[in-house]
């Protein structure tokens, strides 16, 4: 997997997140975040045991967040599939930029990782690309908001200069789906 969410089934929150773009793509298994918070990536060995996942398996270490005796866990795994989905990362800038996925996405999740930032969700069903895009946050229970965030293109998507999806000095991960 290139992105995964792991959670103790008995807990109502605390999905632990791995993404291949953490730490700029260098040793991402040393890092994790939580899906239910806006926190930045954290370097902690006892989550993924500092082992990169492969196409057939992933490793969890001794943290109760991913591995406790007599507890059941749920894992949601994501990978890039040509023409269907893309897990990627990019550096923010002070100008609009185009992210290439190889297909026109209808759904995207974007998260700033080097500092705090919400998990932004946009989709074409809720006007992504209309100029004043409707978006949600995965990490809050806030109502839908709107702002110019970018738009899907035939081979990816653009991101505006809005701080949730760009900004010089910021690093972002994303998951896009057709």
């Amino acid at each position: 997997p290139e992105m995964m969410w792991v959670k103790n089934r008995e807990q109502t929150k605390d999905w632990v997140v791995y993404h291949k773009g953490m730490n700029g793509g260098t040793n991402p298994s040393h890092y994790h975040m939580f899906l239910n918070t806006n926190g930045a990536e954290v370097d902690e060995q006892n989550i993924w045991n500092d082992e990169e996942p492969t196409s057939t398996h992933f490793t969890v270490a001794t943290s109760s967040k991913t591995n406790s005796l007599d507890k059941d866990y749920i894992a949601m795994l994501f990978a890039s599939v040509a023409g269907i989905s893309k897990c990627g990362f990019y550096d923010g800038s002070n100008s609009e930029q185009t992210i290439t996925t190889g297909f026109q996405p209808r759904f995207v999740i974007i998260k700033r990782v080097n500092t705090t930032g919400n998990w932004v969700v946009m989709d074409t069903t809720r006007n992504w690309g209309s100029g004043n895009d409707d978006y949600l946050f995965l990490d809050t229970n806030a109502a839908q908001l709107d702002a110019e965030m970018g738009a899907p293109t035939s081979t990816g998507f653009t991101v505006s200069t809005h701080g949730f999806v760009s900004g010089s000095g910021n690093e972002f991960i994303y998951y896009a789906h057709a």
Side-chain angles (χ1 to χ4, degrees):
E2 296 172 306
M3 180 173 75
M4 61 185 162
W5 304 343
V6 176
K7 174 187 168 316
N8 178 325
R9 284 183 25 174
E10 296 171 5
Q11 295 175 341
T12 58
K13 53 185 179 177
D14 289 340
W15 285 91
V16 183
V17 177
Y18 164 87
H19 191 286
K20 72 176 190 173
M22 287 189 196
N23 194 38
T26 302
N27 299 319
S29 67
H30 294 210
Y31 295 82
H32 73 282
M33 291 183 300
F34 293 101
L35 196 58
N36 60 307
T37 74
N38 69 351
E41 62 191 4
V42 176
D43 184 349
E44 186 176 350
Q45 180 179 5
N46 71 345
I47 300 291
W48 313 117
N49 207 35
D50 289 355
E51 292 184 35
E52 302 304 325
T54 69
S55 62
T56 60
H57 74 278
F58 64 92
T59 301
V60 293
T62 58
S63 171
S64 63
K65 298 169 184 134
T66 56
N67 186 12
S68 281
L69 185 63
D70 298 325
K71 301 291 182 189
D72 292 328
Y73 289 81
I74 299 168
M76 298 180 75
L77 310 176
F78 303 84
S80 297
V81 177
I84 297 173
S85 62
K86 176 81 174 181
C87 296
F89 55 99
Y90 62 92
D91 291 326
S93 71
N94 286 332
S95 60
E96 183 177 286
Q97 61 181 320
T98 300
I99 311 303
T100 302
T101 61
F103 59 90
Q104 183 171 349
R106 294 184 300 165
F107 171 85
V108 68
I109 300 171
I110 300 173
K111 169 76 169 90
R112 183 174 47 226
V113 297
N114 62 317
T115 186
T116 59
N118 297 98
W119 292 87
V120 179
V121 177
M122 295 177 287
D123 61 78
T124 56
T125 302
R126 287 175 311 116
N127 300 319
W128 178 36
S130 67
N132 205 22
D133 308 307
D134 294 328
Y135 63 93
L136 295 170
F137 294 136
L138 288 181
D139 54 300
T140 74
N141 62 359
Q144 177 174 286
L145 302 165
D146 60 71
E148 174 53 44
M149 303 291 256
T153 69
S154 61
T155 59
F157 59 97
T158 61
V159 291
S160 70
T161 59
H162 196 289
F164 289 142
V165 295
S166 193
S168 183
N170 290 311
E171 299 170 4
F172 295 85
I173 60 171
Y174 69 87
Y175 173 74
H177 200 86

